[in-house]
Every structure is written in C-alpha cells, then in structure tokens.
Amino acid sequence: MNVVVLVGGVGGAKLAYGLAQVLPPEKLTVIVNTGDDFWRYGLRICPDLDTIMYTLSGLVDPVNGWGIAGDTLNALQQLRAYGEDDWFRLGDRDLATHILRTRLLHAGVPFTEVTERLTKSLGISQRILPMTDAPVATMIETMEYGEIEFQEYFVRHRWQPTVKALRLEGIDKAVLTPAVDQALKVADAILIGPSNPWLSIEPILAVSGMRDAIMKRDVPRVAVSPIVGGQAIKGPAAKMMAELGYPVSAASVAAYYGDMLNGFVYDQMDAGLLVPQPHVLNCETVMNTTNDKVLLARTVLDWIKGWS
Ligand code: FO1
C-alpha cells in the first residue's frame, strides 16, 4: 500500500515514524510543511523538514522532538559574543544541515532535490518532500506585535501573542512539484498527521493544485486529530483555535477538513463526536512511546484496509 502523509513538525513526525516502522520504505512518502522556514545568519532553516529528517534517521533529540540529540551550542554562543540575537537555538551539528542546504540552494539546486540529497546522506529510504519548491512564509498577524514571521511568533514569543489572522507569503508562486504530484497520483491512502491544521497543514493545502490533487483521488483520505479532550497535545493549536473563533474540539478540526477527507481519526477520550467524514475511527491517539507511534500507525492502516 502506497501511503502519503502530510505533516508539520513534532506531532506529524511521530505518526511518520510509526508509519516508517510498519511500511516498506519505498511505500511511504512524507509531504512536509515549509511555511515555517526562514533565514537566520544567512542560512535557510527548515524546522519541519529537519524534524522529519532527524526523526526518521534516528538523530532527533527525544526530549525536544526537534534538533539533534546531544548537540552542542558552541557556534550560537560565539554568535552571541558577536552581539547577535540567540533566541533560536541552533545546535552545532544542526548547523551543518543548514550550511549545506543553503549552499545547494544558492547553487540553484531545486529544494526537492536538496532535500533528497540530505535525506539520502542520512540513510533515510522513505521519500521526504517539501510541499513546494518555492519559498513560502507563514506570517502571523498578532494583536501585540503586528505581523511577524512564524518562528518569531512560535519560538521568540513562545506562541503567547494573540493571533488575529494568518497570511502565507509567497503562496501565489507556489505550485505542486512533479514529485508531490506523482506521489499523490499513486497513493493508496492519503493521511494527514496530528499537526496543527491552521499553522502546519493549511500551508501545504494552499499550494496551487494540492487540494484538487488530493480530492480527486478515490482512496482513503484521513486526518488524525491533534486536539484531544479539548486540548492540543503540544503547541498553540488550542489557544489559536479559540483566538480565531473556533470551538476547541476535534469536531472543529474535522469540520475544517470537511469533504476534502473521507475519514477522521480522533481520540477515545472524545468518544461520540459528530464529524462530517463518513469513516470514523475512535482510538488511542496520544503517542508518547515508540510503541504508541507504531500502534497508531498500524491501527489506522488496518482500519483503512477494512473499508472496501
Ligand atoms: N523550538 C523552540 O521552541 N526553540 C528553539 O530554540 C528551537 C530551535 C530549533 C532549531 C532547529 C529546528 O529544526 C527546530 C527548532 N525549534 C525550536 C522547533 C521548531 O521551530 C518548531 O517546533 C516548529 O517550527 C513548529 O512546527
């Protein structure tokens, strides 16, 4: 079964990891949000792509869920000594990824190919694809600071500012890459990880042609809710939903995806929700351990296989 999973950062990476343990590597494609990407010290930083890359290669810091386990901060300390801002914690080994990526991008290598080279070098055999080759930036309109870049909102201000609106800079030039198009064409199932629908998944769906490419496939198209018991597993999803005027529930997430999807997975804690998708799975979705990740991946895939 060819599986495509759309993800943002840490939550989506957990499901991608579980899927990678139960599927042959050539059967899994991960399409990643790149709206969080930004420039720092002249380097192109792609936090969600790197989180997936480090998770699937086993390098990831298990405590944070991003960055490389055991990384040091010597370069950042020296940058601070030069008077630079250091609110975004870039580890020494992590910097190697950004240096190489930036050099390749400056040399004109397409983003998808840059990502492929990095993942191959890390020994990853699953396909990890940026949502598009064009640069896209998720901009957050806040009450307190006006419009700021995603990482400023998320890391510098620890997602405390009040969100008024979101804007995707550069989305008008973002088109489907041949690699993403092909992966969706041959998918036997399209999954959306338990990532923030507005911050992590909407940028992917907003790429020109993406929604159509997903909707026209007559296969299981399923999201896993990132909201459990009215709360986000991690990050600002619940706070943001409330600020944007949505009821904070898995049902709101299901309603947001609407008929783009035909299946929805939500946590057993929320049993009995009314959702618009015809296929519904109510199970344990919180992934704390490796076992939880594998179990959820297996449960979702087994459930999908039983549809026909
Ligand atoms: N998240 C933080 O909360 N603080 C950091 O200093 C930080 C640094 C960082 C460096 C590299 C990287 O790939 C990710 C990093 N993250 C950090 C996580 C990341 O910015 C967010 O989790 C995602 O963008 C949200 O999906």
Side-chain angles (χ1 to χ4, degrees), residues 9 36 47-48 50 66 87-90 94 150-151 154-155:
D36 295 12
D48 285 356
D50 291 345
W66 48 264
W87 53 263
F88 197 75
R89 262 190 320 133
L90 288 171
D94 188 29
F150 176 83
Q151 296 298 339
F154 193 91
V155 174

Side-chain angles (χ1 to χ4, degrees), residues 17-266:
Y17 178 87
L19 291 165
Q21 310 314 304
V22 301
L23 288 166
E26 68 280 7
K27 297 290 183 192
L28 179 61
T29 300
V30 189
I31 298 177
V32 186
N33 168 41
T34 57
D36 295 12
D37 297 5
F38 72 131
W39 292 95
R40 191 112 183 102
Y41 317 123
L43 299 173
R44 190 66 176 157
I45 319 287
C46 307
D48 285 356
L49 268 180
D50 291 345
T51 295
I52 300 296
M53 238 168 43
Y54 295 154
T55 299
L56 293 191
S57 62
L59 283 175
V60 78
D61 180 324
V63 178
N64 290 329
W66 48 264
I68 295 180
D71 213 350
T72 49
L73 294 168
N74 295 311
L76 195 72
Q77 270 165 24
Q78 191 57 33
L79 284 160
R80 189 186 307 140
Y82 284 125
E84 294 290 319
D85 263 345
D86 62 353
W87 53 263
F88 197 75
R89 262 190 320 133
L90 288 171
D92 295 324
R93 291 175 66 194
D94 188 29
L95 273 168
T97 307
H98 314 312
I99 291 169
L100 195 52
R101 173 190 292 125
T102 306
R103 195 186 74 197
L104 292 169
L105 288 172
H106 283 331
V109 180
F111 192 17
T112 298
E113 195 183 321
V114 171
T115 307
E116 190 183 345
R117 287 203 208 174
L118 293 172
T119 51
K120 286 241 166 79
S121 304
L122 290 179
I124 299 168
S125 9
Q126 291 83 8
R127 216 152 354 130
I128 300 179
L129 302 175
M131 65 189 198
T132 181
D133 279 341
V136 175
T138 302
M139 305 296 295
I140 319 278
E141 174 74 28
T142 68
M143 208 87 98
E144 296 82 351
Y145 303 98
E147 192 178 65
I148 53 178
E149 272 195 334
F150 176 83
Q151 296 298 339
E152 268 200 60
Y153 160 77
F154 193 91
V155 174
R156 186 177 198 175
H157 298 296
R158 297 168 197 277
W159 45 273
Q160 290 315 297
T162 311
V163 177
K164 282 166 66 184
L166 304 173
R167 184 175 69 86
L168 296 170
E169 195 171 282
I171 200 70
D172 49 324
K173 294 195 180 65
V175 293
L176 224 53
T177 62
V180 167
D181 191 33
Q182 181 61 18
L184 291 170
K185 273 195 179 120
V186 300
D188 300 305
I190 300 168
L191 308 180
I192 297 182
S195 303
N196 186 317
W198 293 272
L199 288 178
S200 300
I201 305 299
E202 176 60 28
I204 305 179
L205 299 177
V207 171
S208 178
M210 187 74 74
R211 260 177 222 272
D212 281 354
I214 294 172
M215 281 190 82
K216 74 178 176 206
R217 294 303 322 285
D218 186 17
V219 295
R221 306 185 305 271
V222 171
V224 178
S225 175
I227 300 291
V228 171
Q231 289 183 344
I233 306 282
K234 194 174 192 287
K239 177 174 173 289
M240 241 194 66
M241 281 171 87
E243 288 164 1
L244 293 174
Y246 297 98
V248 185
S249 69
S252 283
V253 176
Y256 163 80
Y257 288 126
D259 66 1
M260 193 192 75
L261 302 183
N262 51 19
F264 192 68
V265 180
Y266 67 99

